Amino acid sequence: MSTQLLINATPYEIRIALLEHGNLAEFYLEHPAEKGLVGNIYRGRVVRVLPGMQAAFVDVGLERTGFLYVDDVLVTSNEVEKRLARCDRGDGTGGETCCGHDTDPLCRRHPGQNIEDLLSEGQDIMVQVCKEPLGSKGARLTCHITLPCRNLVFMPRTDHIGISRKIEDEDVRLMLRRDIEALRPAGTGFIVRTVAETATNEELEADMEFLLHTWEEVQARAVTAPVPGLIYQDLDITLRVVRDVFSPEVDQVVVDEPETYQRVLQFVETFAPHLKGRVELGPEDPPIFDAYGVELEVNRALERKIWLRCGGYIIIEPTEALTVIDVNTGRYVGKNGLEETIFKANMEAAKEIAYQLRLRNIGGIIIVDFIDMEDEEHREAVFTALKEAAKKDKSRLNILRVSEFGLVQMTRKRNREDLEHLMCEPCDCCHGTGVIRASRSLCYDIFRQIEREACRRQAETVIVRVHPRVAELLLREEAHTVDYLEKKCGKRIQIMPIKGLHPEKYEFSWQ
């Protein structure tokens, strides 16, 4: 079956799905009112330098300050001179710890240099967002600017040529390196993207000219832009996904909205004219995601438990520090012994886990608890299956071998919010923990509170306002305890259910 890219565009939400063999492989979501920030370039102001963390907080005009780590700092020669002048006047930390007297346009961090040697509070600096704000954290920033295009990624502040690892043919890699070396201006860097494996020299040169012109515009805007202020905004999610995902391996791009279709078509005509014939305008009815069965797959991607075809299942538990995935045999009982049953369940789970990581865009540290396998060959086969299934993932993964406890540790590069953060929000009741206090435990808290307060109150009646579920327990199963307390304390206890009250909260009124 073919590979398709579906674009569902509305004024309030943009949704994009990549289907491989009829299955949802990647899902992108953006609200026009909350556009992504990765790739945007800002003039920012350093508001705080943290020597203890070797980082700085930079105000770029967003809701939260961005985070800039010392290894991501590059400062211009002008900034170096200003800092040296402050040091000569005694305003700095001393000439021996400043950036130095480099004559290069950019001063990179030398071994042993600290964040306070490179940046000072109030300093203006050009930065780019490399990671979206996640949860309560601000955006991750870098001074290593990158500008992507169809075939190339331009690194104006780096003297380097990189070739995508997914281009495996050594002859092609050498040819591309020679072509870029001949075309690029001295002192600049380029990364050749995977899609450029079949690109012509003319296409590479056109991309390079476009990127160089874009960088000139960025530099020109940076001179007059306010601080803090935006000086370059990356493409919206529609064109960004078309740029990064639409390759010769994608057989069809279907867009369900005429205006967006024209924008995509114009973009493809400019940067990949040989793929123009694969862009189609889909019908409005039925809705494109319903027609291809995507809606059901998206909803499934939010579930905690994922059933395997064999009858086993996996549980995906995201936490603050890492994501834990547990594999279980479930209803699968096998036919040829316990070890063989466990092995087959783990093999199927390995493929499903790789698929779910990519679909849900789960990043950071990931721990997979496979069912314990005694056979070393089985552990090796499961590890190989997991690595093989992860090859289609565009994000960088590092997977360690299966341990004796059946655990696999891995990391997956996180560039944007995962699906759960995009489509869900913490529960008002549990605040994201997944559990709330048991109703019976709350009843006993109420009893203890009444006993403590009764001797100090002159009132004859105590009114207890609780959630209806707790009230039902107090009036039925715990009615005998309420009677006991009334006699012991000499007070009348009146239970009042309140629908809008939080299940864990309760209130007293003494009358």
Side-chain angles (χ1 to χ4, degrees):
M1 293 180 70
S2 61
T3 300
Q4 295 141 323
L5 192 65
L6 310 180
I7 301 176
N8 169 226
T10 64
Y12 51 87
E13 189 176 59
I14 309 295
R15 299 188 301 169
I16 303 175
L18 177 67
L19 302 186
E20 294 178 350
H21 309 295
N23 297 317
L24 179 63
E26 295 180 15
F27 183 73
Y28 303 85
L29 173 68
E30 185 175 271
H31 303 123
E34 302 173 354
K35 287 187 177 180
L37 302 174
V38 169
N40 290 356
I41 302 174
Y42 297 85
R43 277 190 71 188
R45 176 170 290 120
V46 178
V47 295
R48 194 176 178 193
V49 178
L50 305 172
M53 295 180 65
Q54 283 303 293
F57 287 116
V58 181
D59 179 13
V60 293
L62 302 176
E63 183 179 348
R64 294 188 295 271
T65 55
F67 182 84
L68 178 64
Y69 185 60
V70 64
D71 286 343
D72 295 318
V73 175
L74 289 176
V75 291
T76 64
S77 55
N78 289 335
E79 290 165 342
V80 173
E81 291 171 4
K82 291 177 183 177
R83 209 165 150 64
L84 288 171
R86 287 198 297 272
C87 293
D88 292 340
R89 294 195 304 267
D91 299 334
T93 58
E96 71 278 6
T97 59
C98 285
C99 290
H101 296 273
D102 294 348
T103 57
D104 295 336
L106 293 168
C107 178
R108 289 167 174 78
R109 178 182 180 238
H110 299 302
Q113 278 189 316
N114 296 318
I115 191 76
E116 62 268 29
D117 304 327
L118 300 170
L119 298 176
S120 58
E121 292 183 8
Q123 179 177 337
D124 295 350
I125 187 169
M126 183 190 293
V127 291
Q128 185 174 38
V129 176
C130 58
K131 285 187 180 180
E132 297 278 0
L134 296 172
S136 60
K137 300 177 182 178
R140 175 76 180 267
L141 306 176
T142 181
C143 295
H144 298 272
I145 306 297
T146 58
L147 295 173
C149 198
R150 173 72 181 174
N151 299 293
L152 302 173
V153 176
F154 181 36
M155 303 178 292
R157 297 179 159 188
T158 305
D159 187 358
H160 171 74
I161 296 177
I163 310 293
S164 169
R165 294 178 182 177
K166 294 188 177 181
I167 300 178
E168 297 178 351
D169 190 314
E170 274 303 318
D171 292 335
V172 174
R173 294 176 68 87
L174 289 173
M175 181 188 67
L176 289 168
R177 188 177 295 276
R178 285 197 301 267
D179 290 344
I180 299 302
E181 187 64 62
L183 293 170
R184 70 168 179 150
T188 61
F190 286 89
I191 295 175
V192 180
R193 310 183 76 172
T194 307
V195 72
E197 185 172 10
T198 57
T200 65
N201 193 274
E202 290 75 18
E203 289 173 329
L204 295 176
E205 187 173 5
D207 273 17
M208 191 175 291
E209 288 180 4
F210 172 80
L211 291 169
L212 291 170
H213 177 69
T214 301
W215 177 238
E216 289 176 2
E217 291 183 340
V218 169
Q219 290 179 302
R221 291 194 201 108
V223 175
T224 57
V227 182
L230 176 69
I231 56 178
Y232 170 81
Q233 187 169 22
D234 198 10
L235 300 173
D236 63 27
I237 191 170
T238 303
L239 298 185
R240 194 164 67 244
V241 171
V242 170
R243 179 192 68 196
D244 298 341
V245 177
F246 186 27
S247 64
E249 285 73 36
V250 177
D251 301 287
Q252 185 183 32
V253 177
V254 184
V255 189
D256 67 355
E257 196 272 323
E259 185 176 337
T260 304
Y261 166 75
Q262 291 298 331
R263 289 176 59 235
V264 170
L265 195 62
Q266 184 178 359
F267 183 86
V268 172
E269 284 179 340
T270 302
F271 294 102
H274 58 289
L275 298 177
K276 174 187 173 184
R278 303 187 187 186
V279 182
E280 300 177 11
L281 177 64
E284 295 182 3
D285 189 37
I288 187 171
F289 274 25
D290 290 340
Y292 286 85
V294 175
E295 293 287 3
L296 292 174
E297 286 294 314
V298 172
N299 292 331
R300 181 172 177 259
L302 297 173
E303 294 176 359
R304 176 174 169 266
K305 178 185 285 189
I306 305 297
W307 286 98
L308 306 175
R309 291 183 180 178
C310 68
Y313 63 89
I314 62 175
I315 298 288
I316 300 178
E317 290 280 9
T319 72
E320 184 72 20
L322 49 82
T323 298
V324 180
I325 302 176
D326 186 38
V327 182
N328 297 277
T329 53
R331 297 190 294 259
Y332 182 53
V333 294
K335 296 179 180 179
N336 301 315
L338 178 61
E339 184 66 20
E340 189 68 20
T341 299
I342 290 172
F343 173 61
K344 288 185 177 179
N346 281 338
M347 286 291 286
E348 189 170 330
K351 298 174 184 177
E352 184 66 26
I353 287 166
Y355 169 74
Q356 291 293 331
L357 293 179
R358 182 184 176 196
L359 173 59
R360 299 177 186 228
N361 194 37
I362 297 172
I365 300 172
I366 301 157
I367 305 294
V368 183
D369 182 12
F370 285 105
I371 309 167
D372 289 343
M373 296 171 287
E374 295 181 2
D375 192 324
E376 179 62 34
E377 291 185 1
H378 285 176
R379 288 201 291 266
E380 186 64 26
V382 169
F383 170 72
T384 302
L386 182 60
K387 289 199 71 172
E388 190 67 28
K391 281 186 176 179
K392 291 184 178 181
D393 199 331
K394 296 181 179 64
S395 291
R396 187 170 66 249
L397 286 98
N398 182 27
I399 307 174
L400 301 185
R401 294 186 179 277
V402 183
S403 73
E404 293 181 2
F405 299 107
L407 299 178
V408 168
Q409 303 170 68
M410 68 172 77
T411 59
R412 184 175 184 273
K413 187 175 180 182
R414 188 204 310 269
N415 290 321
R416 54 190 172 89
E417 292 271 22
D418 59 56
L419 203 59
E420 183 179 89
H421 282 92
L422 284 172
M423 300 185 67
C424 304
E425 61 184 23
C427 169
D428 288 337
C429 290
C430 71
H431 303 293
T433 65
V435 294
I436 59 173
R437 190 93 175 267
S439 298
R440 194 174 299 277
S441 178
L442 286 169
C443 289
Y444 300 157
D445 266 2
I446 291 169
F447 296 155
R448 284 188 287 268
Q449 186 73 13
I450 290 174
E451 286 190 87
R452 279 194 294 267
E453 293 285 329
C455 61
R456 300 197 298 265
R457 300 282 185 172
Q458 299 299 320
E460 297 180 357
T461 302
V462 55
I463 300 174
V464 184
R465 296 178 176 86
V466 293
H467 188 273
R469 187 167 63 241
V470 180
E472 183 179 4
L473 190 61
L474 286 168
L475 293 170
R476 292 190 178 182
E477 296 183 34
E478 296 295 337
H480 64 285
T481 309
V482 174
D483 293 339
Y484 162 77
L485 282 179
E486 286 183 330
K487 294 174 182 177
K488 180 180 178 180
C489 301
K491 311 287 185 183
R492 180 171 175 265
I493 301 174
Q494 182 179 341
I495 308 300
M496 184 177 294
I498 305 295
K499 286 186 178 180
L501 197 63
H502 189 282
E504 293 184 323
K505 303 295 183 183
Y506 53 84
E507 300 170 354
F508 293 127
S509 293
W510 297 84
Q511 296 178 0

